[in-house]
Amino acid sequence: MGATIEAIADLLQRQGAKQYGNEAVSQLDHALQCAHLAEAAGETVETIVAALLHDLGHLLRADAEPAEPGQKQRDDLHQFIALPFLRPLFSDAVLEPIRLHVDAKRHLCRTDASYLAQLSPASIRSLELQGGVFSAQQAIEFMNHPHAATALRLRRYDDRAKTPGTPTPPLAHYVALMHQVASKVHKSEIAGKSLQSAHTN
Ligand SMILES: [Fe+2]
């Protein structure tokens, strides 16, 4: 199950018009605002793309199955759903902050009392479904991950990317960045293959 960048853009356009949880912005607005905050903070192109796509799992799920009663009573594991879809296109620098962005919330709730205090009731409910606040040991294990710090920054952009009417660049701007990142992966694969054949020749 692999994606093309055109399919990702199409999904963001079609399913992105839906409301982002209980927030006053659409899924597409949320994605664009998150990417824009990452870009304004001077993040790498990979992190900007991760910010754009961090909730793509919600959209893939919405595409695959209509909402069912009681769906909010369980964790939708959206941080994992998009990974097989995105893996043929992007490196771990994009995939890992996406995979870790829910754990980043669990970590921030442990390490930053003000972060926990400002969570909305809906966010506290989803925190419980996602496994709750990290234990001390879980927090240590999380920070040992090479992409943990990026995931924590992404989480802060995620939390701020909910302001109705915030101007952002259009989706086309981020489609170009996705192509830039994907072509880097493609070039390193080609370089890897030619290195391999040089060794075997
Ligand atoms: Fe989000």
Side-chain angles (χ1 to χ4, degrees):
M1 171 172 92
T4 62
I5 289 169
E6 290 67 31
I8 295 170
D10 178 61
L11 184 62
L12 282 164
Q13 291 281 16
R14 277 187 301 108
Q15 291 289 353
K18 291 185 175 159
Q19 188 184 2
Y20 174 60
N22 294 323
E23 310 293 343
V25 291
S26 69
Q27 289 276 2
L28 178 59
D29 284 341
H30 175 62
L32 291 174
Q33 286 186 28
C34 197
H36 184 46
L37 286 164
E39 191 168 19
E43 296 285 0
T44 64
V45 185
E46 283 80 0
T47 303
I48 297 166
V49 169
L52 179 78
L53 302 179
H54 75 278
D55 279 338
L56 200 74
H58 284 313
L59 305 187
L60 282 166
R61 180 177 280 281
D63 226 21
E65 48 184 73
E68 58 188 71
Q71 200 171 3
K72 293 285 176 200
Q73 301 311 310
R74 58 182 165 80
D75 181 14
D76 70 357
L77 301 174
H78 73 281
Q79 69 273 34
F80 302 118
I81 289 173
L83 299 180
F85 188 72
L86 298 175
R87 198 171 298 284
L89 289 172
F90 302 120
S91 68
D92 279 356
V94 174
L95 301 179
E96 286 298 276
I98 294 175
R99 183 175 73 82
L100 293 170
H101 83 276
V102 171
D103 280 352
K105 172 181 165 186
R106 299 176 65 196
H107 187 274
L108 286 168
C109 287
R110 169 157 198 100
T111 56
D112 183 345
S114 63
Y115 183 87
L116 181 57
Q118 54 81 46
L119 288 184
S120 65
S123 217
I124 289 171
R125 176 74 190 126
S126 67
L127 173 70
E128 284 164 17
L129 294 172
Q130 289 156 349
V133 178
F134 266 169
S135 67
Q137 184 57 33
Q138 285 173 316
I140 291 167
E141 284 168 12
F142 175 81
M143 286 313 295
N144 282 336
H145 195 285
H147 295 278
T150 308
L152 290 173
R153 295 198 306 279
L154 192 157
R155 187 75 221 186
R156 300 280 193 184
Y157 307 136
D158 183 4
D159 293 328
R160 288 167 54 205
K162 301 173 183 177
T163 310
T166 300
T168 66
L171 179 58
H173 171 71
Y174 296 105
V175 168
L177 296 190
M178 283 195 278
H179 278 291
Q180 194 182 321
V181 173
S183 75
K184 274 203 237 172
V185 171
H186 187 61
K187 275 182 200 151
S188 67
E189 272 173 11
I190 290 170
K193 276 182 190 150
S194 52
L195 203 65
Q196 250 179 6
S197 64
H199 278 302
T200 49
N201 285 340

